[in-house]
Amino acid sequence: QVQLVESGGGLVQAGGSLRLSCAASGIIFSLRRMGWYRQAPGKQRELVATITSDGSTIYADSVKGRFTISRDNAKYMTYLQMNSLKPEDTAVYYCNTKLALRDYWGQGTQVTVSS
């Protein structure tokens, strides 16, 4: 079965950096578009960034120039490098992929940015 496991969240001061990782299993990883989403308290889950099988990327306007999504197909890993973090980046971050029109999510990792 498809499994996504996130790691790398934590508490960081504004202006700091974190790197999130997502380990995937149960899929042909190299063929799948992978994404990072986030959900802040009281808000809807929103797209942060996606990366296609050929490495094309899309970013939310709020993170452009600060966050970088990448992948390692050999290791079945997706990463989100987050720099210049702001308090408004505080959220639970989820890894995502789609298979047969169904969304799959990890358990999420908490990112908290203090001012």
Side-chain angles (χ1 to χ4, degrees):
Q1 69 278 20
V2 179
Q3 190 170 19
L4 303 173
V5 179
E6 302 97 335
S7 61
L11 174 63
V12 64
Q13 287 189 331
S17 298
L18 283 174
R19 187 196 195 205
L20 305 184
S21 300
C22 171
S25 60
I27 56 175
I28 303 176
F29 181 79
S30 61
L31 300 181
R32 303 262 64 86
R33 180 171 65 181
M34 303 299 298
W36 286 97
Y37 289 72
R38 66 187 181 186
Q39 187 166 19
K43 294 188 177 181
Q44 288 190 328
R45 193 170 297 189
E46 63 176 3
L47 171 70
V48 175
T50 63
I51 184 167
T52 64
S53 57
D54 65 357
S56 298
T57 57
I58 294 175
Y59 294 94
D61 287 343
S62 59
V63 307
K64 280 181 183 176
R66 301 187 298 121
F67 291 11
T68 303
I69 189 171
S70 62
R71 63 191 295 159
D72 185 333
N73 287 341
K75 296 182 178 179
Y76 279 44
M77 295 292 294
T78 309
Y79 304 101
L80 185 68
Q81 178 66 43
M82 305 186 295
N83 298 329
S84 302
L85 283 161
K86 304 175 181 179
E88 51 263 44
D89 294 317
T90 294
V92 178
Y93 284 70
Y94 297 92
C95 185
N96 167 271
T97 193
K98 290 178 172 58
L99 183 63
L101 302 180
R102 175 183 168 180
D103 276 301
Y104 290 87
W105 302 93
Q107 82 287 353
T109 186
Q110 176 71 47
V111 172
T112 302
V113 184
S114 63
S115 57

